[in-house]
Amino acid sequence: MRRRTLLATALLTTVAAPGTARAADPGPSVTRTGSTRLDAQAVYFVSYDGLVNNNAFQKNGLLTYKGHQYAVWYTADRSAVVARRALGASSWSTVTLGHKLKSDDSHNVISMGVSKTDGRLHLNMDSHSDGFFYVKSVAGLLDNAASTAWTSAVFGAVQTSLDGLALTTQFTYPQFVSTPEGKLQLSYRVAISGNGRNALAEYDGSSWTALGEWSSSTGTYTSEHGSSTARNMYLHGIDYDVNGRLHSFFTWREQSAAVMCNGGGITNHDTGYVYSTDRGRTWRNDAGTLVGTTGGSDKVAVTDPGLVVDPLNPDHSLMNQESQATDSTGLPHAIISYVPGRFGQCTTNYVTDRTTNGRAFHLRKNASGSWTKTEIPIALNSSQRTKLILDKYDNVYAIMPFGRIAAASKSSGYTDWKLLYDGSGLNAFGEVVIDETRVPQDGTLSIMYQEKSSGTTPSALQVVDFKLPS
């Protein structure tokens, strides 16, 4: 296939070139500074091997803006809750919204976003290939947090549209992202797993507009085992860098199990990458070639050349929706995870094989334009996702299941991975949510996690803070 051969000039290695950080720049470190409890009795049920309050693909379940931090979750009676605290405060103020979680489905997360043009907080919640629920605050709430009472009166009614914009009846995976100009965009999937498309909507401070779909579910993908003619693109994230470029890593999930070596695996394959220089209106592959137009007839498709930056067939239980970030120069980084070939060339039980032999990898683009992949030498011991963050010195941190934190320094070329925090004492279930917006503001890594429980017995939801190098 053409997309395979195009990779020949950019083969990934496991050893990176030396970094360019100044000698005076510190390496990665974490210092635990405190812990706060959001809820002693948060709703608990395991679905798709995850929890609805702590799915790593949430963007954002925890968010910081202008000196205050915000968190969202469902409590024991299934009510949607939004809370805030001043940075450094030991307690949270909560508001219960007029909505209750409709089903025991861990996909039905709550995500937050900020429209900087009018200082509103936006929430999208409780959807998995069906209708969503949406709430927004009054204008100026986030700009004047210290002088605005935190009550239900500052939030509008729960809606089943974006102020009248319906979008789709099959909606999943809301991710809010603020544009460099202060507008707010909402990324989401239309339709279903294995046969869906990514789309964008945009809020300009007064109204929402549907920008349209930008990925395609059609085309033929063929592995050594068989073919599939439908799929969806799972995003690792959608993020603007310091230069205003919009980045997205992704994996494909095929609809047909014929592409796998064994029906117990998962049809995810390949890590791809696209970017946009016009606020998500058009998309380009790594070489800069136009591969899709949002809302147009030409969408990003599995048959497009130059999309794959790390090839992998569907036989290794590759994780979807892992994590991504950009560094201080705008270069993209991602975490991907799968079962490496040294443990066999055919996974037969997705959860068991990933838990037993899964490994996470740091994938990044170098200043020279080539791609480098480095294995993080710490067993996942989980089927679940790892989060990624960079500090002000571009050291990289992998926040692994159970709240473990591994890191590597820029000065080593990201080759000196080591475990900085083992998660002991947290009793975290597995995946965690991180506040990716706080690190650039005050150098603090906040992690939201839920304690292990059993059945449907509620458990505590916590936030733990770590200081990164200043």
Side-chain angles (χ1 to χ4, degrees):
M1 298 176 69
R2 285 191 302 164
R3 58 192 182 86
R4 302 287 186 187
T5 58
L6 288 172
L7 290 169
T9 58
L11 291 176
L12 299 171
T13 65
T14 56
V15 179
T20 57
R22 299 184 304 273
D25 287 351
S29 65
V30 293
T31 302
R32 183 170 170 171
T33 58
S35 181
T36 57
R37 176 170 290 183
L38 289 168
D39 192 340
Q41 297 284 298
V43 70
Y44 188 98
F45 57 85
V46 179
S47 158
Y48 297 93
D49 209 28
L51 302 181
V52 72
N53 286 329
N54 276 96
N55 254 314
F57 57 73
Q58 284 176 260
K59 187 180 180 73
N60 297 281
L62 197 61
L63 179 150
T64 295
Y65 189 71
K66 292 191 174 181
H68 282 75
Q69 190 172 44
Y70 302 83
V72 284
W73 71 94
Y74 299 102
T75 196
D77 70 353
R78 310 177 75 84
S79 294
V81 173
V82 57
R84 77 173 182 188
R85 65 169 174 171
L87 291 183
S90 59
S91 62
W92 296 76
S93 300
T94 62
V95 168
T96 300
L97 302 171
H99 179 76
K100 291 194 174 184
L101 179 67
K102 66 191 180 200
S103 62
D104 286 356
D105 188 332
S106 65
H107 289 79
N108 294 29
V109 300
I110 308 174
S111 294
M112 292 185 288
V114 177
S115 53
K116 298 178 181 179
T117 56
D118 60 359
R120 293 184 195 265
L121 182 65
H122 301 250
L123 283 70
N124 191 296
M125 53 191 168
D126 203 1
S127 62
H128 184 195
S129 301
D130 54 11
F132 63 83
F133 299 87
Y134 168 70
V135 179
K136 70 178 182 182
S137 76
V138 297
L141 173 67
L142 303 188
D143 295 327
N144 305 291
S147 58
T148 305
W150 188 250
T151 68
S152 59
V154 302
F155 290 94
V158 177
Q159 307 177 47
T160 54
S161 67
L162 298 179
D163 294 336
L165 183 65
L167 296 183
T168 175
T169 58
Q170 293 183 303
F171 179 101
T172 316
Y173 304 126
Q175 294 190 73
F176 288 109
V177 59
S178 297
T179 72
E181 298 81 19
K183 295 179 181 180
L184 181 65
Q185 294 180 324
L186 175 63
S187 168
Y188 59 98
R189 187 188 72 193
V190 178
I192 62 173
S193 174
N195 192 7
R197 291 92 60 199
N198 290 317
L200 286 172
E202 187 173 82
Y203 177 76
D204 63 4
S206 60
S207 62
W208 283 95
T209 301
L211 301 183
E213 298 175 8
W214 62 271
S215 73
S216 172
S217 59
T218 60
T220 299
Y221 166 80
T222 302
S223 75
E224 60 189 283
H225 311 292
S227 297
S228 175
T229 57
R231 69 204 46 81
N232 71 280
M233 175 194 285
Y234 273 118
L235 302 184
H236 287 316
I238 185 164
D239 296 278
Y240 283 97
D241 67 20
V242 294
N243 304 309
R245 177 174 288 193
L246 185 60
H247 303 259
S248 192
F249 288 89
F250 62 88
T251 61
W252 295 108
R253 175 175 294 179
E254 298 301 320
Q255 184 180 62
S256 175
V259 301
M260 293 189 294
C261 60
N262 185 281
I266 195 166
T267 60
N268 296 344
H269 63 90
D270 296 321
T271 298
Y273 168 78
V274 289
Y275 70 90
S276 173
T277 57
D278 55 8
R279 308 300 187 254
R281 270 63 176 180
T282 60
W283 297 90
R284 298 180 180 275
N285 66 15
D286 184 43
T289 303
L290 181 68
V291 289
T293 299
T294 301
S297 59
D298 181 24
K299 299 177 177 64
V300 183
V302 72
T303 52
D304 285 332
L307 297 181
V308 178
V309 294
D310 185 45
L312 189 70
N313 69 24
D315 297 339
H316 294 272
S317 292
L318 175 67
M319 175 53 80
N320 51 283
Q321 298 162 285
E322 195 106 31
S323 189
Q324 66 173 47
T326 59
D327 64 24
S328 63
T329 66
L331 291 172
H333 298 242
I335 295 290
I336 64 174
S337 65
Y338 57 88
V339 178
R342 65 179 181 273
F343 297 110
Q345 298 298 326
C346 181
T347 56
T348 59
N349 184 298
Y350 165 68
V351 172
T352 299
D353 290 344
R354 281 184 55 87
T355 302
T356 303
N357 294 316
R359 297 294 188 272
F361 298 81
H362 174 215
L363 176 64
R364 67 186 179 95
K365 189 173 186 177
N366 304 306
S368 63
S370 61
W371 291 87
T372 297
K373 184 174 68 175
T374 305
E375 181 175 335
I376 300 173
I378 299 163
L380 286 178
N381 298 323
S382 169
S383 67
Q384 297 176 293
R385 299 171 178 87
T386 294
K387 296 295 292 181
L388 173 69
I389 202 78
L390 286 87
D391 65 22
K392 65 182 293 185
Y393 302 104
D394 286 338
N395 300 310
V396 65
Y397 300 76
I399 301 87
M400 306 178 79
F402 317 116
R404 296 169 295 162
I405 305 174
S409 67
K410 179 181 180 180
S411 61
S412 73
Y414 304 106
T415 60
D416 59 351
W417 282 95
K418 60 184 177 181
L419 189 67
L420 301 183
Y421 180 74
D422 66 3
S424 61
L426 298 183
N427 192 33
F429 165 80
E431 285 187 5
V432 300
V433 170
I434 67 169
D435 187 344
E436 60 189 49
T437 62
R438 185 174 182 181
V439 172
Q441 296 182 52
D442 73 350
T444 297
L445 171 61
S446 289
I447 300 173
M448 183 169 73
Y449 68 94
Q450 190 159 351
E451 294 182 5
K452 294 176 186 175
S453 186
S454 60
T456 58
T457 302
S459 66
L461 188 68
Q462 314 270 19
V463 175
V464 59
D465 297 326
F466 297 88
K467 194 66 177 176
L468 304 184
S470 58

